[in-house]
PDB file of all heavy atoms in Angstrom:
ATOM      1  N   TYR A 113     110.089 105.328  90.963  1.00  0.00           N
ATOM      2  CA  TYR A 113     110.599 106.415  91.804  1.00  0.00           C
ATOM      3  C   TYR A 113     109.445 107.042  92.565  1.00  0.00           C
ATOM      4  O   TYR A 113     109.522 107.227  93.775  1.00  0.00           O
ATOM      5  CB  TYR A 113     111.313 107.383  90.903  1.00  0.00           C
ATOM      6  CG  TYR A 113     111.491 108.773  91.576  1.00  0.00           C
ATOM      7  CD1 TYR A 113     112.512 109.058  92.463  1.00  0.00           C
ATOM      8  CD2 TYR A 113     110.586 109.808  91.236  1.00  0.00           C
ATOM      9  CE1 TYR A 113     112.644 110.300  93.029  1.00  0.00           C
ATOM     10  CE2 TYR A 113     110.712 111.072  91.826  1.00  0.00           C
ATOM     11  CZ  TYR A 113     111.768 111.335  92.710  1.00  0.00           C
ATOM     12  OH  TYR A 113     111.892 112.525  93.303  1.00  0.00           O
ATOM     13  N   GLY A 114     108.380 107.393  91.862  1.00  0.00           N
ATOM     14  CA  GLY A 114     107.254 107.997  92.522  1.00  0.00           C
ATOM     15  C   GLY A 114     106.602 107.097  93.580  1.00  0.00           C
ATOM     16  O   GLY A 114     106.230 107.558  94.652  1.00  0.00           O
ATOM     17  N   VAL A 115     106.490 105.802  93.240  1.00  0.00           N
ATOM     18  CA  VAL A 115     105.933 104.809  94.136  1.00  0.00           C
ATOM     19  C   VAL A 115     106.753 104.703  95.420  1.00  0.00           C
ATOM     20  O   VAL A 115     106.233 104.660  96.537  1.00  0.00           O
ATOM     21  CB  VAL A 115     105.785 103.465  93.439  1.00  0.00           C
ATOM     22  CG1 VAL A 115     105.484 102.352  94.474  1.00  0.00           C
ATOM     23  CG2 VAL A 115     104.709 103.496  92.352  1.00  0.00           C
ATOM     24  N   LEU A 116     108.047 104.615  95.244  1.00  0.00           N
ATOM     25  CA  LEU A 116     108.943 104.495  96.453  1.00  0.00           C
ATOM     26  C   LEU A 116     108.845 105.730  97.328  1.00  0.00           C
ATOM     27  O   LEU A 116     108.851 105.615  98.546  1.00  0.00           O
ATOM     28  CB  LEU A 116     110.405 104.293  95.977  1.00  0.00           C
ATOM     29  CG  LEU A 116     110.694 102.947  95.351  1.00  0.00           C
ATOM     30  CD1 LEU A 116     112.144 102.863  94.928  1.00  0.00           C
ATOM     31  CD2 LEU A 116     110.405 101.777  96.279  1.00  0.00           C
ATOM     32  N   VAL A 117     108.747 106.912  96.699  1.00  0.00           N
ATOM     33  CA  VAL A 117     108.554 108.094  97.527  1.00  0.00           C
ATOM     34  C   VAL A 117     107.252 107.997  98.347  1.00  0.00           C
ATOM     35  O   VAL A 117     107.208 108.321  99.542  1.00  0.00           O
ATOM     36  CB  VAL A 117     108.534 109.337  96.628  1.00  0.00           C
ATOM     37  CG1 VAL A 117     108.093 110.608  97.435  1.00  0.00           C
ATOM     38  CG2 VAL A 117     109.918 109.610  96.049  1.00  0.00           C
ATOM     39  N   PHE A 118     106.175 107.565  97.702  1.00  0.00           N
ATOM     40  CA  PHE A 118     104.905 107.400  98.388  1.00  0.00           C
ATOM     41  C   PHE A 118     105.013 106.431  99.537  1.00  0.00           C
ATOM     42  O   PHE A 118     104.506 106.601 100.634  1.00  0.00           O
ATOM     43  CB  PHE A 118     103.807 106.895  97.444  1.00  0.00           C
ATOM     44  CG  PHE A 118     103.233 108.011  96.587  1.00  0.00           C
ATOM     45  CD1 PHE A 118     103.075 107.845  95.233  1.00  0.00           C
ATOM     46  CD2 PHE A 118     102.842 109.224  97.167  1.00  0.00           C
ATOM     47  CE1 PHE A 118     102.523 108.831  94.455  1.00  0.00           C
ATOM     48  CE2 PHE A 118     102.237 110.204  96.418  1.00  0.00           C
ATOM     49  CZ  PHE A 118     102.069 110.025  95.074  1.00  0.00           C
ATOM     50  N   PHE A 119     105.637 105.298  99.328  1.00  0.00           N
ATOM     51  CA  PHE A 119     105.814 104.260 100.334  1.00  0.00           C
ATOM     52  C   PHE A 119     106.639 104.733 101.507  1.00  0.00           C
ATOM     53  O   PHE A 119     106.353 104.460 102.685  1.00  0.00           O
ATOM     54  CB  PHE A 119     106.375 102.950  99.768  1.00  0.00           C
ATOM     55  CG  PHE A 119     105.383 102.192  98.943  1.00  0.00           C
ATOM     56  CD1 PHE A 119     105.722 101.576  97.754  1.00  0.00           C
ATOM     57  CD2 PHE A 119     104.064 101.958  99.463  1.00  0.00           C
ATOM     58  CE1 PHE A 119     104.805 100.847  97.055  1.00  0.00           C
ATOM     59  CE2 PHE A 119     103.128 101.212  98.704  1.00  0.00           C
ATOM     60  CZ  PHE A 119     103.534 100.670  97.484  1.00  0.00           C
ATOM     61  N   LEU A 120     107.678 105.512 101.224  1.00  0.00           N
ATOM     62  CA  LEU A 120     108.462 106.096 102.338  1.00  0.00           C
ATOM     63  C   LEU A 120     107.665 107.055 103.165  1.00  0.00           C
ATOM     64  O   LEU A 120     107.699 107.081 104.394  1.00  0.00           O
ATOM     65  CB  LEU A 120     109.678 106.810 101.730  1.00  0.00           C
ATOM     66  CG  LEU A 120     110.837 105.960 101.306  1.00  0.00           C
ATOM     67  CD1 LEU A 120     111.860 106.777 100.550  1.00  0.00           C
ATOM     68  CD2 LEU A 120     111.524 105.293 102.551  1.00  0.00           C
ATOM     69  N   VAL A 121     106.799 107.877 102.525  1.00  0.00           N
ATOM     70  CA  VAL A 121     105.899 108.788 103.266  1.00  0.00           C
ATOM     71  C   VAL A 121     104.917 108.017 104.057  1.00  0.00           C
ATOM     72  O   VAL A 121     104.682 108.358 105.261  1.00  0.00           O
ATOM     73  CB  VAL A 121     105.228 109.763 102.235  1.00  0.00           C
ATOM     74  CG1 VAL A 121     104.122 110.556 102.984  1.00  0.00           C
ATOM     75  CG2 VAL A 121     106.189 110.674 101.577  1.00  0.00           C
ATOM     76  N   SER A 122     104.305 106.947 103.552  1.00  0.00           N
ATOM     77  CA  SER A 122     103.366 106.190 104.276  1.00  0.00           C
ATOM     78  C   SER A 122     104.023 105.525 105.487  1.00  0.00           C
ATOM     79  O   SER A 122     103.466 105.511 106.589  1.00  0.00           O
ATOM     80  CB  SER A 122     102.750 105.115 103.419  1.00  0.00           C
ATOM     81  OG  SER A 122     101.902 105.674 102.435  1.00  0.00           O
ATOM     82  N   GLY A 123     105.233 104.970 105.261  1.00  0.00           N
ATOM     83  CA  GLY A 123     105.911 104.334 106.399  1.00  0.00           C
ATOM     84  C   GLY A 123     106.316 105.364 107.497  1.00  0.00           C
ATOM     85  O   GLY A 123     106.268 105.036 108.665  1.00  0.00           O
ATOM     86  N   TYR A 124     106.609 106.536 107.051  1.00  0.00           N
ATOM     87  CA  TYR A 124     106.969 107.608 108.025  1.00  0.00           C
ATOM     88  C   TYR A 124     105.786 108.032 108.862  1.00  0.00           C
ATOM     89  O   TYR A 124     105.906 108.205 110.088  1.00  0.00           O
ATOM     90  CB  TYR A 124     107.496 108.825 107.247  1.00  0.00           C
ATOM     91  CG  TYR A 124     107.933 109.999 108.128  1.00  0.00           C
ATOM     92  CD1 TYR A 124     109.216 110.132 108.561  1.00  0.00           C
ATOM     93  CD2 TYR A 124     106.995 110.948 108.419  1.00  0.00           C
ATOM     94  CE1 TYR A 124     109.604 111.206 109.314  1.00  0.00           C
ATOM     95  CE2 TYR A 124     107.336 112.058 109.201  1.00  0.00           C
ATOM     96  CZ  TYR A 124     108.627 112.174 109.615  1.00  0.00           C
ATOM     97  OH  TYR A 124     109.035 113.296 110.422  1.00  0.00           O
ATOM     98  N   ILE A 125     104.552 108.121 108.278  1.00  0.00           N
ATOM     99  CA  ILE A 125     103.470 108.781 108.928  1.00  0.00           C
ATOM    100  C   ILE A 125     102.430 107.870 109.537  1.00  0.00           C
ATOM    101  O   ILE A 125     101.771 108.212 110.515  1.00  0.00           O
ATOM    102  CB  ILE A 125     102.825 109.782 107.939  1.00  0.00           C
ATOM    103  CG1 ILE A 125     102.171 110.911 108.710  1.00  0.00           C
ATOM    104  CG2 ILE A 125     101.854 109.159 107.047  1.00  0.00           C
ATOM    105  CD1 ILE A 125     103.170 111.774 109.536  1.00  0.00           C
ATOM    106  N   ILE A 126     102.211 106.668 108.918  1.00  0.00           N
ATOM    107  CA  ILE A 126     101.057 105.847 109.383  1.00  0.00           C
ATOM    108  C   ILE A 126     101.238 105.353 110.809  1.00  0.00           C
ATOM    109  O   ILE A 126     100.349 105.450 111.637  1.00  0.00           O
ATOM    110  CB  ILE A 126     100.863 104.680 108.368  1.00  0.00           C
ATOM    111  CG1 ILE A 126     100.271 105.197 107.080  1.00  0.00           C
ATOM    112  CG2 ILE A 126      99.921 103.631 108.970  1.00  0.00           C
ATOM    113  CD1 ILE A 126      98.938 105.919 107.262  1.00  0.00           C
ATOM    114  N   PRO A 127     102.394 104.731 111.158  1.00  0.00           N
ATOM    115  CA  PRO A 127     102.511 104.308 112.516  1.00  0.00           C
ATOM    116  C   PRO A 127     102.416 105.472 113.517  1.00  0.00           C
ATOM    117  O   PRO A 127     101.902 105.335 114.630  1.00  0.00           O
ATOM    118  CB  PRO A 127     103.908 103.634 112.572  1.00  0.00           C
ATOM    119  CG  PRO A 127     104.152 103.217 111.141  1.00  0.00           C
ATOM    120  CD  PRO A 127     103.530 104.342 110.347  1.00  0.00           C
ATOM    121  N   ALA A 128     102.992 106.671 113.145  1.00  0.00           N
ATOM    122  CA  ALA A 128     102.936 107.785 114.003  1.00  0.00           C
ATOM    123  C   ALA A 128     101.463 108.243 114.182  1.00  0.00           C
ATOM    124  O   ALA A 128     101.109 108.647 115.299  1.00  0.00           O
ATOM    125  CB  ALA A 128     103.738 108.950 113.363  1.00  0.00           C
ATOM    126  N   SER A 129     100.629 108.134 113.136  1.00  0.00           N
ATOM    127  CA  SER A 129      99.234 108.481 113.267  1.00  0.00           C
ATOM    128  C   SER A 129      98.515 107.619 114.230  1.00  0.00           C
ATOM    129  O   SER A 129      97.780 108.070 115.063  1.00  0.00           O
ATOM    130  CB  SER A 129      98.610 108.418 111.882  1.00  0.00           C
ATOM    131  OG  SER A 129      97.215 108.686 111.983  1.00  0.00           O
ATOM    132  N   LEU A 130      98.787 106.307 114.172  1.00  0.00           N
ATOM    133  CA  LEU A 130      98.169 105.363 115.081  1.00  0.00           C
ATOM    134  C   LEU A 130      98.631 105.597 116.535  1.00  0.00           C
ATOM    135  O   LEU A 130      97.839 105.593 117.456  1.00  0.00           O
ATOM    136  CB  LEU A 130      98.498 103.928 114.608  1.00  0.00           C
ATOM    137  CG  LEU A 130      98.014 102.787 115.567  1.00  0.00           C
ATOM    138  CD1 LEU A 130      96.523 102.875 115.812  1.00  0.00           C
ATOM    139  CD2 LEU A 130      98.408 101.475 114.953  1.00  0.00           C
ATOM    140  N   GLU A 131      99.923 105.765 116.674  1.00  0.00           N
ATOM    141  CA  GLU A 131     100.510 105.917 118.048  1.00  0.00           C
ATOM    142  C   GLU A 131     100.094 107.210 118.677  1.00  0.00           C
ATOM    143  O   GLU A 131      99.933 107.319 119.884  1.00  0.00           O
ATOM    144  CB  GLU A 131     101.975 105.760 117.974  1.00  0.00           C
ATOM    145  CG  GLU A 131     102.431 104.377 117.573  1.00  0.00           C
ATOM    146  CD  GLU A 131     103.936 104.318 117.170  1.00  0.00           C
ATOM    147  OE1 GLU A 131     104.668 105.178 117.568  1.00  0.00           O
ATOM    148  OE2 GLU A 131     104.306 103.370 116.430  1.00  0.00           O
ATOM    149  N   ARG A 132      99.961 108.259 117.844  1.00  0.00           N
ATOM    150  CA  ARG A 132      99.569 109.548 118.373  1.00  0.00           C
ATOM    151  C   ARG A 132      98.160 109.537 119.017  1.00  0.00           C
ATOM    152  O   ARG A 132      97.949 110.058 120.089  1.00  0.00           O
ATOM    153  CB  ARG A 132      99.592 110.609 117.271  1.00  0.00           C
ATOM    154  CG  ARG A 132      99.311 112.050 117.757  1.00  0.00           C
ATOM    155  CD  ARG A 132      99.424 113.039 116.685  1.00  0.00           C
ATOM    156  NE  ARG A 132      98.339 112.921 115.686  1.00  0.00           N
ATOM    157  CZ  ARG A 132      98.510 112.433 114.456  1.00  0.00           C
ATOM    158  NH1 ARG A 132      99.698 112.049 114.042  1.00  0.00           N
ATOM    159  NH2 ARG A 132      97.519 112.371 113.619  1.00  0.00           N
ATOM    160  N   GLY A 133      97.257 108.885 118.331  1.00  0.00           N
ATOM    161  CA  GLY A 133      95.875 108.755 118.890  1.00  0.00           C
ATOM    162  C   GLY A 133      95.810 107.650 119.927  1.00  0.00           C
ATOM    163  O   GLY A 133      95.043 107.794 120.883  1.00  0.00           O
ATOM    164  N   GLY A 134      96.581 106.579 119.674  1.00  0.00           N
ATOM    165  CA  GLY A 134      96.578 105.479 120.705  1.00  0.00           C
ATOM    166  C   GLY A 134      95.340 104.644 120.662  1.00  0.00           C
ATOM    167  O   GLY A 134      95.135 103.846 121.580  1.00  0.00           O
ATOM    168  N   ASP A 135      94.505 104.712 119.620  1.00  0.00           N
ATOM    169  CA  ASP A 135      93.301 103.948 119.548  1.00  0.00           C
ATOM    170  C   ASP A 135      93.111 103.418 118.129  1.00  0.00           C
ATOM    171  O   ASP A 135      92.999 104.196 117.171  1.00  0.00           O
ATOM    172  CB  ASP A 135      92.090 104.833 119.918  1.00  0.00           C
ATOM    173  CG  ASP A 135      90.774 104.046 119.894  1.00  0.00           C
ATOM    174  OD1 ASP A 135      90.569 103.202 120.777  1.00  0.00           O
ATOM    175  OD2 ASP A 135      89.971 104.273 118.972  1.00  0.00           O
ATOM    176  N   VAL A 136      93.100 102.104 118.016  1.00  0.00           N
ATOM    177  CA  VAL A 136      92.998 101.548 116.657  1.00  0.00           C
ATOM    178  C   VAL A 136      91.669 101.775 115.999  1.00  0.00           C
ATOM    179  O   VAL A 136      91.580 101.866 114.798  1.00  0.00           O
ATOM    180  CB  VAL A 136      93.255 100.007 116.744  1.00  0.00           C
ATOM    181  CG1 VAL A 136      94.733  99.698 117.068  1.00  0.00           C
ATOM    182  CG2 VAL A 136      92.352  99.297 117.719  1.00  0.00           C
ATOM    183  N   ARG A 137      90.612 101.905 116.757  1.00  0.00           N
ATOM    184  CA  ARG A 137      89.318 102.156 116.156  1.00  0.00           C
ATOM    185  C   ARG A 137      89.292 103.577 115.502  1.00  0.00           C
ATOM    186  O   ARG A 137      88.826 103.721 114.400  1.00  0.00           O
ATOM    187  CB  ARG A 137      88.180 102.025 117.192  1.00  0.00           C
ATOM    188  CG  ARG A 137      86.787 101.887 116.499  1.00  0.00           C
ATOM    189  CD  ARG A 137      85.663 101.799 117.491  1.00  0.00           C
ATOM    190  NE  ARG A 137      85.878 100.634 118.414  1.00  0.00           N
ATOM    191  CZ  ARG A 137      84.986 100.339 119.385  1.00  0.00           C
ATOM    192  NH1 ARG A 137      83.896 101.113 119.609  1.00  0.00           N
ATOM    193  NH2 ARG A 137      85.209  99.311 120.152  1.00  0.00           N
ATOM    194  N   ALA A 138      89.788 104.558 116.214  1.00  0.00           N
ATOM    195  CA  ALA A 138      89.829 105.884 115.648  1.00  0.00           C
ATOM    196  C   ALA A 138      90.767 105.914 114.380  1.00  0.00           C
ATOM    197  O   ALA A 138      90.480 106.586 113.428  1.00  0.00           O
ATOM    198  CB  ALA A 138      90.327 106.909 116.698  1.00  0.00           C
ATOM    199  N   PHE A 139      91.847 105.154 114.458  1.00  0.00           N
ATOM    200  CA  PHE A 139      92.791 105.065 113.375  1.00  0.00           C
ATOM    201  C   PHE A 139      92.061 104.518 112.124  1.00  0.00           C
ATOM    202  O   PHE A 139      92.214 105.095 111.037  1.00  0.00           O
ATOM    203  CB  PHE A 139      93.941 104.188 113.733  1.00  0.00           C
ATOM    204  CG  PHE A 139      94.847 103.772 112.590  1.00  0.00           C
ATOM    205  CD1 PHE A 139      95.791 104.693 112.056  1.00  0.00           C
ATOM    206  CD2 PHE A 139      94.749 102.527 111.975  1.00  0.00           C
ATOM    207  CE1 PHE A 139      96.597 104.302 111.027  1.00  0.00           C
ATOM    208  CE2 PHE A 139      95.552 102.137 110.907  1.00  0.00           C
ATOM    209  CZ  PHE A 139      96.480 103.066 110.460  1.00  0.00           C
ATOM    210  N   TRP A 140      91.300 103.433 112.271  1.00  0.00           N
ATOM    211  CA  TRP A 140      90.678 102.832 111.135  1.00  0.00           C
ATOM    212  C   TRP A 140      89.485 103.710 110.587  1.00  0.00           C
ATOM    213  O   TRP A 140      89.241 103.735 109.404  1.00  0.00           O
ATOM    214  CB  TRP A 140      90.211 101.420 111.450  1.00  0.00           C
ATOM    215  CG  TRP A 140      91.281 100.422 111.300  1.00  0.00           C
ATOM    216  CD1 TRP A 140      92.143  99.938 112.249  1.00  0.00           C
ATOM    217  CD2 TRP A 140      91.701  99.842 110.076  1.00  0.00           C
ATOM    218  NE1 TRP A 140      93.006  99.100 111.747  1.00  0.00           N
ATOM    219  CE2 TRP A 140      92.800  98.986 110.416  1.00  0.00           C
ATOM    220  CE3 TRP A 140      91.292  99.886 108.790  1.00  0.00           C
ATOM    221  CZ2 TRP A 140      93.465  98.237 109.430  1.00  0.00           C
ATOM    222  CZ3 TRP A 140      91.899  99.145 107.811  1.00  0.00           C
ATOM    223  CH2 TRP A 140      93.016  98.316 108.123  1.00  0.00           C
ATOM    224  N   ILE A 141      88.822 104.356 111.502  1.00  0.00           N
ATOM    225  CA  ILE A 141      87.805 105.342 111.046  1.00  0.00           C
ATOM    226  C   ILE A 141      88.422 106.398 110.113  1.00  0.00           C
ATOM    227  O   ILE A 141      87.902 106.682 109.001  1.00  0.00           O
ATOM    228  CB  ILE A 141      87.161 106.074 112.228  1.00  0.00           C
ATOM    229  CG1 ILE A 141      86.209 105.051 112.997  1.00  0.00           C
ATOM    230  CG2 ILE A 141      86.274 107.244 111.801  1.00  0.00           C
ATOM    231  CD1 ILE A 141      85.710 105.616 114.283  1.00  0.00           C
ATOM    232  N   SER A 142      89.501 106.956 110.532  1.00  0.00           N
ATOM    233  CA  SER A 142      90.197 108.044 109.705  1.00  0.00           C
ATOM    234  C   SER A 142      90.686 107.468 108.418  1.00  0.00           C
ATOM    235  O   SER A 142      90.600 108.105 107.327  1.00  0.00           O
ATOM    236  CB  SER A 142      91.329 108.685 110.498  1.00  0.00           C
ATOM    237  OG  SER A 142      92.332 107.783 110.785  1.00  0.00           O
ATOM    238  N   ARG A 143      91.264 106.253 108.452  1.00  0.00           N
ATOM    239  CA  ARG A 143      91.756 105.640 107.207  1.00  0.00           C
ATOM    240  C   ARG A 143      90.658 105.306 106.182  1.00  0.00           C
ATOM    241  O   ARG A 143      90.835 105.524 104.980  1.00  0.00           O
ATOM    242  CB  ARG A 143      92.548 104.313 107.561  1.00  0.00           C
ATOM    243  CG  ARG A 143      93.826 104.525 108.287  1.00  0.00           C
ATOM    244  CD  ARG A 143      94.839 105.390 107.612  1.00  0.00           C
ATOM    245  NE  ARG A 143      94.707 106.801 108.022  1.00  0.00           N
ATOM    246  CZ  ARG A 143      95.010 107.808 107.263  1.00  0.00           C
ATOM    247  NH1 ARG A 143      95.442 107.614 106.019  1.00  0.00           N
ATOM    248  NH2 ARG A 143      94.870 109.068 107.641  1.00  0.00           N
ATOM    249  N   ILE A 144      89.549 104.757 106.690  1.00  0.00           N
ATOM    250  CA  ILE A 144      88.491 104.442 105.788  1.00  0.00           C
ATOM    251  C   ILE A 144      87.917 105.658 105.121  1.00  0.00           C
ATOM    252  O   ILE A 144      87.678 105.673 103.919  1.00  0.00           O
ATOM    253  CB  ILE A 144      87.432 103.670 106.531  1.00  0.00           C
ATOM    254  CG1 ILE A 144      87.886 102.232 106.911  1.00  0.00           C
ATOM    255  CG2 ILE A 144      86.092 103.607 105.748  1.00  0.00           C
ATOM    256  CD1 ILE A 144      86.998 101.467 107.850  1.00  0.00           C
ATOM    257  N   PHE A 145      87.695 106.684 105.911  1.00  0.00           N
ATOM    258  CA  PHE A 145      87.155 107.925 105.297  1.00  0.00           C
ATOM    259  C   PHE A 145      88.178 108.664 104.448  1.00  0.00           C
ATOM    260  O   PHE A 145      87.857 109.499 103.645  1.00  0.00           O
ATOM    261  CB  PHE A 145      86.621 108.840 106.429  1.00  0.00           C
ATOM    262  CG  PHE A 145      85.253 108.486 106.904  1.00  0.00           C
ATOM    263  CD1 PHE A 145      85.072 107.618 107.950  1.00  0.00           C
ATOM    264  CD2 PHE A 145      84.134 109.055 106.287  1.00  0.00           C
ATOM    265  CE1 PHE A 145      83.817 107.270 108.364  1.00  0.00           C
ATOM    266  CE2 PHE A 145      82.860 108.666 106.701  1.00  0.00           C
ATOM    267  CZ  PHE A 145      82.704 107.792 107.751  1.00  0.00           C
ATOM    268  N   ARG A 146      89.458 108.352 104.644  1.00  0.00           N
ATOM    269  CA  ARG A 146      90.527 108.946 103.852  1.00  0.00           C
ATOM    270  C   ARG A 146      90.601 108.275 102.462  1.00  0.00           C
ATOM    271  O   ARG A 146      90.743 108.957 101.460  1.00  0.00           O
ATOM    272  CB  ARG A 146      91.868 108.875 104.557  1.00  0.00           C
ATOM    273  CG  ARG A 146      93.014 109.465 103.769  1.00  0.00           C
ATOM    274  CD  ARG A 146      92.851 110.982 103.596  1.00  0.00           C
ATOM    275  NE  ARG A 146      93.892 111.557 102.810  1.00  0.00           N
ATOM    276  CZ  ARG A 146      93.829 111.751 101.486  1.00  0.00           C
ATOM    277  NH1 ARG A 146      92.740 111.370 100.801  1.00  0.00           N
ATOM    278  NH2 ARG A 146      94.838 112.329 100.827  1.00  0.00           N
ATOM    279  N   LEU A 147      90.549 106.979 102.435  1.00  0.00           N
ATOM    280  CA  LEU A 147      90.801 106.228 101.227  1.00  0.00           C
ATOM    281  C   LEU A 147      89.586 105.866 100.419  1.00  0.00           C
ATOM    282  O   LEU A 147      89.528 105.967  99.188  1.00  0.00           O
ATOM    283  CB  LEU A 147      91.602 104.979 101.575  1.00  0.00           C
ATOM    284  CG  LEU A 147      93.035 105.121 102.082  1.00  0.00           C
ATOM    285  CD1 LEU A 147      93.655 103.757 102.240  1.00  0.00           C
ATOM    286  CD2 LEU A 147      93.874 105.979 101.172  1.00  0.00           C
TER     287      LEU A 147
END
């Protein structure tokens, strides 16, 4: 249950984060420093 909630949140927000910035390099910089 907890895992599925996490995956739904990731699916909701990750593509939006990439599309909002519009730059894959900035996206990967933020992801690497996040994780």
